[in-house]
Amino acid sequence: MMDRKTRWIAGTALAVALVGGGTGMAVANGHGTETPITGEALGKASTAALAYTGGGHITDTEVGDEEGYYEVDVTLDDGRQVDVHLDRACNVLNSTAGQDRPSDQDGPNGR
């Protein structure tokens, strides 16, 4: 249990660091047409998503997601991805489990 709490604290610290000084930093999404979360909202949404998943790291963000106001994609330590959907106040609405990353599927262990 302590390990999960430690990861949550570390994830929260990372989310706060991303916002550092109010300048904000968007996570690149690679989709081109989606708008990434920025500024103070990025820190709040990241903190909420990481608290919900119990850790992992943020791999993508989006404003105006079809399932919520924000979407934060979290990759868990085991490689699974969880898409966390949030309302405008960064309350979790729901989540969906994504697929393993392609490198996980095509790796030497053939997962």
Side-chain angles (χ1 to χ4, degrees):
M1 191 67 165
M2 181 64 151
D3 187 48
R4 184 175 182 168
K5 183 177 179 181
T6 301
R7 285 187 300 194
W8 183 83
I9 291 169
T12 301
L14 173 63
V16 171
L18 286 173
V19 177
T23 59
M25 177 178 148
V27 176
N29 65 27
H31 298 288
T33 60
E34 298 173 354
T35 303
I37 305 170
T38 60
E40 185 178 333
L42 176 60
K44 289 180 179 181
S46 297
T47 298
L50 291 171
Y52 181 79
T53 61
H57 62 276
I58 307 298
T59 53
D60 195 8
T61 67
E62 177 185 354
V63 176
D65 175 61
E66 64 278 355
E67 296 183 50
Y69 190 78
Y70 297 119
E71 178 180 297
V72 177
D73 297 350
V74 178
T75 300
L76 303 175
D77 292 339
D78 64 5
R80 292 179 296 135
Q81 182 174 317
V82 178
D83 299 339
V84 181
H85 305 109
L86 307 145
D87 66 13
R88 189 179 292 259
C90 294
N91 298 306
V92 175
L93 299 170
N94 59 46
S95 66
T96 55
Q99 297 179 343
D100 289 341
R101 296 171 300 184
S103 61
D104 289 341
Q105 292 173 352
D106 300 331
N109 296 330
R111 288 183 12 161

